[in-house]
Amino acid sequence: QVVRVQSPEGMKKITLTKRETAAAFLKKVAKEFSFSSNGFSVYLNRNKTGEILSQNKTLNYLNHLDPPVKHMSFHAYIRKLTGGADKGKFVALENISCKIKSGCEGHPPWPEGICTKCQPSAITLNRQKYRHVDNIMFENHTIADRFLDFWRKTGNQRMGYLYGRYTEHKDIPLGIRAEVAAIYEPPQIGTQNSLELIEDPKAEAVEEIAAKLGLRKVSLFSMPFKNWGLDSYFLSAEECITAGHFQNQHANACRLSPDGHFGSKFVTVVATGGPDNQVHFEGYQVSNQCMALVRDECLLPCRDVPELGYAKESSTEQYIPDVFYKDKDKFGNDITYLARPLPVEYLIIDITTTFPKDPVFTFSSTLRFPIENRDALGETQDFHSLATYLSQCFSSSSSFLDIVSDFHLLLFLVTNEVMPLQDSIGLLLDAVKTSTEELAQTWKKSEQWATIEQLCSEYRRDLWIMPWAAQLSPSLLQLCGPASTAPS
């Protein structure tokens, strides 16, 4: 179980067991915040009521905290809705709309007129009780480490799309796990404090290749948006808006919604540094309410306070419904606030991010073909790098399936400008998807692969005749010689 503790020093996560005592919990809080053992107090409520006293009683109140420690899985939520005598016959999951309904003819259009029939309802933000994904699991550490290498070498922000599959999460009733098999890094310009995505001409091809490999885009991965060594907030308002944008792009199909979709299984993973100077991975989604506010352009980030958002006010160009959230005043009374500004904690659903004890490899190549769009590091995808990669693989006695079982290599084979294999690589993708060496060997005999090998041979020959070739060591000269033959 995870409890979020807010203090003037920021917000931190405290991990607890079901049998944890209040005394043990307070010790963990003191250690996490570097407090003295008896120089602080922890309360259940913002108005400093419900103090947690140091005693050897288990924390049985955790299930009643606001927000609750655990979220119900979405399918468990559906089962709850449809479990009555009518079997959910009258259940309808309505998507929130913040826009004026069109077609109202009883008055002039906004801003000259509006009525209760076309006016969108005010929104009172509630902490969502369920989540569409319950866990994110990277197949192995190598996937994340290769992504983090860019940040380690440049110090600049970086983002990537996580490709994988949704599977059953057996530890949570009716839970869903997003398993990550690969990361695609689109064209982007990053600095230490900003990140700009550039139009990606290969985006459609990447989606097509991933689908043929049995994968889909499951998450956004960024590094790092928070200050290293600080944990003052989980997601900024700007990051919440970005997460809502991508969740809207990847809507979750749902038969109980009149629109045919409800919420999203798309997740945001943020890699960031903690007080221990180690990299931590935090998974999140934003609520369906936040998705609606983002989709209808009602939510803005606050410039000076990143953990606060701002619900826009109506203008002559756009009507904005009132947005409220509930909290307690200093006397412990419930009070409703207008969301100007808005603490983003009301919009966030945290999701655990894990790695398996036994690593899994959808892509089995042990050598590394360069990652796309890393020209800033001097790492390029071209036939020089392909020739070098294949020479290394052949000298390591790898099977042909292991050689081609690299996500970034497959993308290059399909999208390169010299000889794109988009129309003739289906059999190879099937071989990688099913881990079938026989299919890979069959594709290896194709004219397309023979041409690829010939091109690599030409690039190695070009390297051979360079003026400085005479200064190369015998082992490197051998590497630059005629193309080797891959072992069967």
Side-chain angles (χ1 to χ4, degrees), residues 272-484:
T272 186
D276 57 358
N277 289 323
Q278 298 297 315
V279 176
H280 299 270
F281 299 94
E282 308 287 353
Y284 304 94
Q285 284 191 306
V286 294
S287 66
N288 292 6
Q289 289 180 323
C290 181
M291 287 175 62
L293 292 172
V294 172
R295 183 197 62 228
D296 296 334
E297 301 180 349
C298 300
L299 187 62
L300 295 172
C302 285
R303 178 176 300 178
D304 300 324
V305 188
E307 65 267 33
L308 295 179
Y310 186 87
K312 291 166 59 175
E313 299 181 44
S314 296
S315 65
T316 55
E317 290 79 21
Q318 182 185 12
Y319 176 83
I320 304 292
D322 288 331
V323 181
F324 302 96
Y325 69 95
K326 292 182 178 181
D327 208 333
K328 294 183 181 294
D329 63 16
K330 61 181 180 180
F331 303 108
N333 301 315
D334 289 331
I335 188 170
T336 300
Y337 296 92
L338 188 63
R340 301 189 184 105
L342 163 66
V344 298
E345 63 186 90
Y346 286 85
L347 309 174
I348 296 172
I349 304 162
D350 59 305
I351 301 170
T352 56
T353 304
T354 58
F355 293 85
K357 292 181 179 178
D358 299 318
V360 178
F361 294 87
T362 294
F363 301 98
S364 58
S365 176
T366 56
L367 297 173
R368 297 181 176 183
F369 188 73
I371 294 175
E372 59 283 337
N373 300 311
R374 286 194 172 189
D375 295 357
L377 290 180
E379 300 176 8
T380 57
Q381 287 188 345
D382 54 28
F383 276 87
H384 279 298
S385 56
L386 177 59
T388 302
Y389 173 80
L390 293 178
S391 296
Q392 293 172 342
C393 291
F394 293 155
S395 63
S396 68
S397 301
S398 300
S399 70
F400 185 69
L401 177 62
D402 286 340
I403 291 173
V404 297
S405 186
D406 182 291
F407 185 68
H408 308 287
L409 169 64
L410 295 172
L411 293 181
F412 172 74
L413 291 177
V414 171
T415 61
N416 75 87
E417 297 180 354
V418 178
M419 187 182 173
L421 302 180
Q422 190 160 3
D423 298 328
S424 56
I425 203 172
L427 184 63
L428 182 61
L429 297 179
D430 287 340
V432 174
K433 178 182 178 181
T434 60
S435 299
T436 306
E437 178 70 31
E438 290 77 12
L439 290 178
Q441 289 291 337
T442 300
W443 189 85
K444 181 186 174 185
K445 299 173 183 177
S446 67
E447 293 182 5
Q448 289 78 16
W449 181 247
T451 304
I452 292 291
E453 285 191 310
Q454 182 62 34
L455 287 169
C456 290
S457 177
E458 293 295 330
Y459 276 95
R460 283 196 293 266
R461 188 172 296 112
D462 290 343
L463 182 62
W464 174 270
I465 64 176
M466 287 182 180
W468 43 264
Q471 303 177 20
L472 297 178
S473 64
S475 60
L476 189 53
L477 285 172
Q478 184 178 4
L479 173 64
C480 299
S484 304

Side-chain angles (χ1 to χ4, degrees), residues 94-284:
E94 299 281 352
N95 287 295
I96 300 170
S97 176
C98 305
K99 293 183 177 180
I100 296 175
K101 294 180 180 179
S102 59
C104 192
E105 300 176 351
H107 54 77
W110 176 265
E112 280 72 28
I114 195 171
C115 68
T116 55
K117 292 181 179 180
C118 62
Q119 180 182 8
S121 301
I123 298 174
T124 299
L125 297 176
N126 299 304
R127 291 187 171 96
Q128 195 163 289
K129 297 180 180 179
Y130 58 86
R131 56 190 178 191
H132 293 273
V133 172
D134 305 283
N135 174 256
I136 309 140
M137 187 179 74
F138 288 83
E139 286 187 345
N140 54 76
H141 284 278
T142 302
I143 300 171
D145 285 342
R146 291 197 69 187
F147 177 79
L148 297 180
D149 278 344
F150 185 95
W151 172 78
R152 292 186 180 113
K153 293 176 180 178
T154 66
N156 293 337
Q157 293 187 16
R158 192 71 174 168
M159 66 82 63
Y161 296 121
L162 305 186
Y163 282 85
R165 54 188 71 86
Y166 296 111
T167 62
E168 177 186 0
H169 191 341
K170 297 182 180 179
D171 296 331
I172 295 178
L174 302 179
I176 292 178
R177 166 178 281 156
E179 294 185 1
V180 178
I183 302 177
Y184 171 70
E185 300 179 17
Q188 56 195 283
I189 299 174
T191 69
Q192 292 185 358
N193 301 307
S194 66
L195 184 67
E196 178 186 358
L197 289 181
I198 303 172
E199 185 177 355
D200 187 2
K202 300 179 180 179
E204 186 175 342
V206 174
E207 288 293 305
E208 183 178 345
I209 296 167
K212 290 181 178 179
L213 290 167
L215 306 176
R216 61 192 298 182
K217 191 186 293 181
V218 299
S219 179
L220 174 73
F221 193 15
S222 61
M223 172 75 195
F225 279 86
K226 292 188 283 184
N227 293 329
W228 185 268
L230 299 177
D231 196 19
S232 57
Y233 57 94
F234 292 117
L235 283 188
S236 67
E238 186 172 4
E239 290 167 327
C240 284
I241 293 171
T242 300
H245 169 74
F246 282 102
Q247 287 180 214
N248 280 311
Q249 286 187 340
H250 300 83
N252 180 59
C254 181
R255 61 180 177 81
L256 294 180
S257 171
D259 302 320
H261 60 85
F262 187 76
S264 173
K265 288 196 286 287
F266 194 84
V267 180
T268 295
V269 177
V270 177
T272 186
D276 57 358
N277 289 323
Q278 298 297 315
V279 176
H280 299 270
F281 299 94
E282 308 287 353
Y284 304 94

Side-chain angles (χ1 to χ4, degrees), residues 54-79:
S54 181
Q55 51 189 344
N56 292 321
K57 291 184 178 180
T58 57
L59 298 175
N60 57 2
Y61 57 79
L62 286 179
N63 291 329
H64 306 290
L65 287 178
D66 186 20
V69 174
K70 290 186 176 181
H71 291 86
M72 183 185 305
S73 70
F74 181 63
H75 285 84
Y77 176 72
I78 293 294
R79 176 171 290 186

